[in-house]
């Protein structure tokens, strides 16, 4: 049986998952594919570090050229993370005529154009199923199975770490720092977890999904991002009282006037299908004009789920190598207008701390009214204390109007602090 040699760049969470799957299921994969997958060389930073997998002596190296310049290696798997040197190694592998599999959403979101152009120029392919949604097959359906459709919406929960943190904060009232540490120990978080917590990881993934769904170039700096750092137990409790849960949503929509791409915490009703997505699970909702509504659900991070997606890509590359084909699916990335966040509309939850005195509510309501912000409900918590909390839910309003109203409200002497502003999707069942 023919052997296909693979060079692995990285042996952390995902790299170890890839090795484990090939070691555990290698015979079955070989029978199904007709070629044996052979991990010839693995690049790491440290040869001294204890590893979660066993590999033959001399497989590990700190010299990237032993992979990038080895003519026997057909497929390079980049699971190191970050932009450099990942970008440099990917480009070198493509230039050397090797196919590349990567789970690195940051490098694709930031320099994807350069990478896909290099792949086309060298008649090689870049596979990236593991870059979004962990183990969920998501890229392949968007690239291939749904090609017949005009897609208008791709949205969902695409960061496992923040969903894990929000779930534990909601279900167990666990403190933020403690649950973030758990997510790191479980291998869900990025090397720098601020990328998860501040919404950047979800923004990288949304730019990949939206570019595939809408055949568009999505400049990362035009993806609006808010993370979950500001979410407090008080917000979670207010959400519960109002019939919602808080999720970090990534929303991509193609409208007549352009594309909307935003990542932010969102109140969603407890009966909404995304409210049931707990822990490390991700779910992505796609709407096509022919197929209708689709929902993809599964583990969005972790060693084995992501390893499953990466090994699936390796197998895809092997099959294309066997058939001597490449470039079957062209990356269509046209320039399309991105709708500025100020022009997008939403309902909002606003929590603020105010002095409890006659006329305070009227002053705040006047700021909302002057900016065309219509109030759906208001709840005061506490009486006579300084401060008391006021929770507003608004009707649908343009982001820029909301921002102007909040700016005026913060300047009122009776308002101690606006503690949070969170978008609201859907209505709870009454
Ligand atoms: P990780 O656990 O931090 O592992 C990174 C690996 O790359 C380590 O083995 C490290 O070597 C090696 N490495 C990093 N920089 C290097 C360099 N300059 N030269 C040589 N080796 C280097 O990361 P991970 O969680 O597996 O994530 C890898 C990639 O997959 C990232 O792009 C991430 O965004 C993506 N991803 C992760 C998950 C997940 O659940 N973790 C899911 C989907 C996608 P040492 O071991 O010697 O330090
Ligand atoms: N840190 C990422 C997450 C890994 O938590 O979703 C999966 O891409």
């Amino acid at each position: 049986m023919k052997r296909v040699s693979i060079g692995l760049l990285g042996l952390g969470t995902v790299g170890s998952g890839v090795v484990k799957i090939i070691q555990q299921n290698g015979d079955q994969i070989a029978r199904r594919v007709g070629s044996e997958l052979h991990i010839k060389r693995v690049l790491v930073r440290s040869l001294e570090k204890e590893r979660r997998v066993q590999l033959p002596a001399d497989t590990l190296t700190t010299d990237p050229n032993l992979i990038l310049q080895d003519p026997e290696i057909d497929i390079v798997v980049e699971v190191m993370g970050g932009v450099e040197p990942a970008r440099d190694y990917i480009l070198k592998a493509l230039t050397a005529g090797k196919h590349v599999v990567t789970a690195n959403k940051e490098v694709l979101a930031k320099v994807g154009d350069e990478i896909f152009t290099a792949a086309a120029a060298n008649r090689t392919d870049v596979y990236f199923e593991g870059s979004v949604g962990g183990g969920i097959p998501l890229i392949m359906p968007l690239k291939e199975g749904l090609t017949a459709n005009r897609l208008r919406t791709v949205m969902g929960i695409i960061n496992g770490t923040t969903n894990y943190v929000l779930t534990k904060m909601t279900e167990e009232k666990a403190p933020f720092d403690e649950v973030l540490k758990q997510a790191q120990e479980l291998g869900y978080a990025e090397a720098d977890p601020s990328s998860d917590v501040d919404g950047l990881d979800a923004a990288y993934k949304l730019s990949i999904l939206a570019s595939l769904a809408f055949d568009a170039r999505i400049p990362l700096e035009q993806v609006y991002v808010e993370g979950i750092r500001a979410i407090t137990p008080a917000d979670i409790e207010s959400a519960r009282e109002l019939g919602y849960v808080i999720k970090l949503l990534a929303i991509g929509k193609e409208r007549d006037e352009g594309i909307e791409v935003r990542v932010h915490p969102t109140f969603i009703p407890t009966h909404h299908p995304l409210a049931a997505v707990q822990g490390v699970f991700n779910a992505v909702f796609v709407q096509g004009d022919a197929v209708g509504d689709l929902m993809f659900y599964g583990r969005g991070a972790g060693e084995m789920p992501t390893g499953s997606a990466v090994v699936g890509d390796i197998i895809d590359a092997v099959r294309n190598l066997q058939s001597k084909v490449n470039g079957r699916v062209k990356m269509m990335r046209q320039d399309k207008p991105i709708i500025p966040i100020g022009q997008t509309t939403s309902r909002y939850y606003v929590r603020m701390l105010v002095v409890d005195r006659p006329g305070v509510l009227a002053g705040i309501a006047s700021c909302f009214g002057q900016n065309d912000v219509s109030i759906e409900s208001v709840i005061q918590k506490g009486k006579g204390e300084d401060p008391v909390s006021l929770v507003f839910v608004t009707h649908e309003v343009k982001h820029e109007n909301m921002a102007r109203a909040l700016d005026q409200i913060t300047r009122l002497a009776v308002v101690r602090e606006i503690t949070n502003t969170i978008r609201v999707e859907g209505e709870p069942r009454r």
Side-chain angles (χ1 to χ4, degrees):
M1 189 180 284
K2 194 172 169 343
R3 217 159 80 143
V4 177
S5 292
I6 296 158
L8 202 54
L9 307 176
L11 190 60
T13 303
V14 183
S16 303
V18 170
V19 172
K20 279 185 193 171
I21 293 168
I22 292 177
Q23 289 177 344
Q24 283 170 22
N25 299 346
D27 291 348
Q28 176 186 288
I29 293 170
R31 275 198 306 280
R32 286 182 172 166
V33 181
S35 291
E36 184 196 334
L37 306 186
H38 167 56
I39 297 172
K40 184 169 180 195
R41 196 83 59 199
V42 180
L43 179 75
V44 290
R45 263 182 306 218
S46 157
L47 294 174
E48 276 72 53
K49 213 184 217 179
E50 202 178 318
R51 299 290 163 185
R52 279 176 272 182
V53 287
Q54 288 201 325
L55 284 159
D58 298 338
T59 305
L60 264 56
T61 177
T62 54
D63 180 359
N65 292 329
L66 290 186
I67 293 174
L68 302 173
Q69 293 175 5
D70 181 344
E72 259 188 28
I73 290 180
D74 293 311
I75 301 169
V76 170
V77 179
E78 185 277 305
V79 281
M80 301 188 322
V83 175
E84 290 294 358
R87 169 190 159 275
D88 181 42
Y89 296 169
I90 290 173
L91 293 176
K92 284 186 173 139
L94 294 171
T95 308
K98 302 179 191 309
H99 296 285
V100 169
V101 174
T102 180
N104 187 339
K105 50 269 163 153
E106 183 176 0
V107 82
L108 292 176
K110 289 185 175 168
V111 292
D113 268 347
E114 189 183 12
I115 288 173
F116 292 118
T117 304
N122 291 286
R123 304 182 68 83
T124 54
D125 280 313
V126 179
Y127 302 79
F128 49 101
E129 189 63 72
S131 66
V132 186
I136 310 171
L138 196 52
I139 302 298
M140 175 86 89
L142 285 176
K143 264 182 18 184
E144 305 203 30
L146 294 171
T147 311
N149 285 263
R150 173 144 201 202
L151 302 181
R152 283 299 204 168
T153 301
V154 52
M155 64 172 272
I157 296 168
I158 53 176
N159 181 269
T161 301
T162 46
N163 203 49
Y164 182 87
V165 169
L166 289 173
T167 303
K168 293 275 178 183
M169 283 176 72
T170 306
E171 303 291 308
E172 298 168 20
K173 304 203 174 3
F176 178 90
D177 290 339
E178 187 183 296
V179 278
L180 177 60
K181 199 159 159 276
Q182 286 172 17
Q184 288 178 277
E185 285 162 5
L186 290 162
Y188 303 156
E190 295 303 302
D192 175 1
S194 58
S195 172
D196 298 290
V197 170
D198 295 328
L200 292 173
D201 178 80
Y204 301 149
K205 292 167 176 170
L206 179 61
S207 84
I208 295 170
L209 291 183
S211 70
L212 288 173
F214 311 136
D215 295 333
R217 197 165 280 115
I218 309 285
L220 193 55
E221 55 284 2
Q222 292 192 42
V223 180
Y224 176 78
V225 192
E226 278 174 38
I228 64 161
R229 237 180 250 279
I231 306 288
T232 62
D235 298 319
I236 291 173
E237 184 53 21
S238 296
R240 196 190 58 74
E241 286 170 5
L242 293 163
Y244 294 93
V245 290
I246 304 176
K247 296 286 183 189
L248 184 72
L249 287 198
I251 300 174
K253 291 186 179 175
E254 182 162 22
R255 303 185 184 282
D256 292 343
E257 60 275 27
I259 293 171
E260 196 175 316
V261 265
R262 50 191 166 103
V263 172
H264 48 70
T266 313
F267 272 37
I268 53 174
T270 48
H271 62 82
H272 191 287
L274 290 176
V277 179
Q278 306 277 31
V280 73
F281 280 82
N282 283 190
V284 176
F285 171 75
V286 178
Q287 239 176 357
D289 58 353
V291 73
D293 294 351
L294 288 173
M295 181 96 131
F296 297 85
Y297 172 79
R299 286 177 198 277
E303 180 186 75
M304 298 303 267
T306 314
S308 161
V310 172
V311 178
D313 272 351
I314 296 173
I315 292 170
D316 202 8
V318 171
R319 289 185 165 136
N320 284 341
L321 278 167
Q322 289 166 340
S323 309
K324 297 190 172 43
V325 293
N326 70 280
R328 280 178 42 251
V329 185
K330 306 268 176 295
M331 296 299 289
M332 308 291 291
R333 290 176 154 213
Q334 303 158 26
D335 288 320
K336 291 187 178 180
I338 308 286
I339 302 172
I341 190 67
Q343 298 299 312
T344 62
T345 62
S346 185
R347 286 161 63 229
Y348 285 87
Y349 149 94
V350 186
R351 180 171 179 273
M352 58 185 84
L353 300 177
V354 303
V355 176
D356 189 15
R357 175 187 312 156
V360 169
L361 194 55
I364 295 168
S366 160
C367 296
F368 278 135
Q370 284 164 36
N371 291 286
D372 273 341
V373 180
S374 165
I375 297 163
E376 182 182 296
S377 67
V378 55
I379 300 169
Q380 176 173 332
K381 286 278 182 73
K383 193 175 162 200
E385 303 140 31
D386 183 6
V388 294
S389 101
L390 279 182
V391 168
F392 293 87
V393 176
T394 74
H395 289 297
E396 192 92 12
V397 52
K398 233 186 221 180
H399 173 97
E400 61 188 18
N401 289 36
M402 189 66 190
R404 270 200 306 270
L406 293 176
D407 187 49
Q408 281 181 16
I409 292 168
T410 3
R411 284 189 268 118
L412 296 176
V414 289
V415 174
R416 297 273 184 254
E417 187 189 355
I418 296 178
T419 61
N420 219 338
T421 308
I422 301 175
R423 287 168 182 75
V424 179
E425 286 273 335
E427 300 274 356
R429 285 204 183 104
R430 303 284 175 205

